Amino acid sequence: MRPETLAAQALHGIDAPTGATVPPIHLATTYARDARYQLVGPGYARDENPTPVHAERVLAALEGGAGALAFASGMAAATGVFRALCRPGDHVIAPRVGYYNLRGWLAAWSARWGVAADLVDTTDLAAVRAALRPTTRLVWLETPANPTWDVTDIAAVAALAHAAGALVAVDSTCATPVHSQPLALGADLVMHSATKYLGGHSDVLAGMLVTARDDEHWAALRALRHDEGACLGPLEAYLLLRGMRTLFARVERASRTALLLAERLAALGVRVRYPGLASHPHHAVAARQMQRGFGAMLSIQVPDPLALVAQLRVWVPATSLGGVESLIEHRYTVEGAGSPAPPDLLRLSVGLEHEDDLFDDLRAALAP
Ligand SMILES: Cc1ncc(COP(=O)(O)O)c(C=O)c1O
């Protein structure tokens, strides 16, 4: 079956005992044994609660993976990859441009843990090749990357990394399984802040990892979540499951609106960063690597970003992304000095409102 069908039906998730078309929320943390002292289903909720397990199965199917693990947040999932797979003395490569909180965490953790970490422009294959060392354990990618929407060639980096004996993990939060399949392009792991598009309604904090293979690296990640317990609760998992059922309709619509807005704003003379525009430096890679559109995130660069935000009536000035409501954010204020976000940049997360309302709001605020 095609991914839209798998997502809409949550893998045809009819509840066997009742026939309910909506998956039940399993709140039990423990499960009784039978007369022969055997478990009839799960044993304990940390790894086996059926509601998060259902959400994991849906995402594994959408990403074409061998398995998925749900975490309490995107950060728990992302940091788990480094912590489960890297030992003191290892080397890791991460993108210079990308989610700032992970960059900050990696600097502190790697220094404390004796792991060498290089921030590299991963869109530059020569720079990736030069940064790889015999000790490189992991190459972390984010594409399209916050907040300039740099697009990294996943297949090319995976070939370089694998030849050097390193693993590749991709933060695919902003691409979503609608636009990109990193595992099919050669990545070993995919990570999502499911707080964003997978949940889709700005009402659940969650993270996901998907693996290409059920191998020793995946066993290490399963053990980390089991031992440290940063798992997803059933109520959050239910919201995530519900969000994923409408993933394709939401993301395709928001991405269409984002392209339209990018084109209309560029036509007004505004400096726009969006991988779907031919003017974006990585448009060719994006066109090759992404399907069904280029995502619903774009940035604009304007002379007085905070004054522009103050005039908006439709766009909500808030952090995060991937919800049904459109958000706008001045990343430089949030990330502070040292941020690769230019001070004149505003990040736009396009939601599901009418495209004319979104455009008219921006145009009115842009008018002198
Ligand atoms: C691209 C990206 N990766 C990871 C994260 C972290 O996810 P969470 O907030 O769910 O911990 C975020 C959150 O903003 C993000 O935008």
Side-chain angles (χ1 to χ4, degrees):
M1 272 181 273
R2 293 165 182 78
E4 294 92 328
T5 310
L6 298 174
Q9 297 196 347
L11 304 181
H12 205 70
I14 309 301
D15 180 49
T18 62
T21 55
V22 173
I25 304 173
H26 290 271
L27 292 170
T29 54
T30 189
Y31 297 82
R33 291 172 180 268
D34 67 12
R36 290 172 294 118
Y37 208 69
Q38 299 300 308
L39 287 168
V40 291
Y44 188 62
R46 201 185 310 130
D47 297 308
E48 297 174 294
N49 183 304
T51 310
V53 166
H54 193 161
E56 292 170 350
R57 286 178 44 238
V58 171
L59 187 65
L62 298 182
E63 291 285 7
L69 282 172
F71 286 81
S73 71
M75 277 302 286
T79 58
V81 173
F82 290 87
R83 292 185 306 111
L85 302 184
C86 299
R87 301 280 169 275
D90 284 346
H91 171 242
V92 298
I93 292 173
R96 188 168 291 164
V97 172
Y99 179 52
Y100 83 120
N101 203 31
L102 186 71
R103 204 167 50 240
W105 171 84
L106 181 60
W109 173 81
S110 61
R112 212 167 45 237
W113 200 241
V115 169
D118 275 329
L119 296 182
V120 172
D121 175 2
T122 55
T123 68
D124 178 350
L125 296 178
V128 173
R129 191 182 291 111
L132 283 162
R133 305 181 193 172
T135 53
T136 307
R137 177 71 165 155
L138 179 68
V139 178
W140 183 268
L141 302 178
E142 179 180 325
T143 182
N146 260 294
T148 54
W149 318 114
D150 285 3
V151 178
T152 292
D153 185 334
I154 297 171
V157 171
L160 290 174
H162 290 160
L167 297 164
V168 175
V170 179
D171 181 338
S172 196
T173 297
C174 293
T176 82
V178 176
H179 295 308
S180 181
Q181 266 77 46
L183 301 180
L185 295 168
D188 302 289
L189 293 165
V190 178
M191 174 260 157
H192 286 277
S193 167
T195 313
K196 316 300 187 210
Y197 291 99
L198 300 183
H201 295 74
S202 308
D203 59 5
V204 57
L205 195 71
M208 278 280 191
L209 294 177
V210 189
T211 185
R213 295 168 304 280
D214 189 358
D215 56 12
E216 76 271 22
H217 311 304
W218 192 240
L221 277 157
R222 276 205 311 268
L224 175 123
R225 195 192 62 171
H226 174 82
D227 296 339
E228 299 190 352
C231 49
L232 192 65
L235 299 172
E236 286 81 2
Y238 173 77
L239 288 172
L240 177 55
L241 260 176
R242 187 165 74 165
M244 286 194 289
R245 296 181 80 159
T246 55
L247 179 72
F248 282 80
R250 284 186 289 103
V251 171
E252 286 185 19
R253 154 103 192 213
S255 295
R256 270 200 310 277
T257 305
L259 176 61
L260 208 71
L261 291 176
E263 289 170 344
R264 287 192 195 172
L265 290 165
L268 288 182
V270 177
R271 185 156 174 222
V272 181
R273 289 179 184 251
Y274 182 64
L277 292 184
S279 59
H280 191 281
H282 311 132
H283 176 65
V285 180
R288 206 167 58 235
Q289 171 169 288
M290 299 178 78
Q291 310 94 43
R292 305 167 185 251
F294 297 89
M297 298 300 302
L298 65 141
S299 294
I300 56 175
Q301 289 177 258
V302 294
D304 195 346
L306 293 179
L308 187 147
V309 170
Q311 294 178 63
L312 294 169
R313 296 290 168 267
V314 179
W315 294 80
V316 179
T319 197
S320 201
L321 55 99
V324 294
E325 66 290 319
S326 291
L327 305 178
I328 189 161
E329 192 181 37
H330 188 233
R331 287 303 296 174
Y332 190 82
T333 299
V334 174
E335 298 187 18
S339 160
D344 62 351
L345 180 144
L346 290 169
R347 182 180 83 176
L348 280 66
S349 168
V350 178
L352 300 184
E353 303 90 338
H354 195 284
E355 60 265 23
D356 291 342
D357 289 334
L358 294 172
F359 179 68
D360 292 347
D361 200 31
L362 288 168
R363 187 175 47 186
L366 283 162

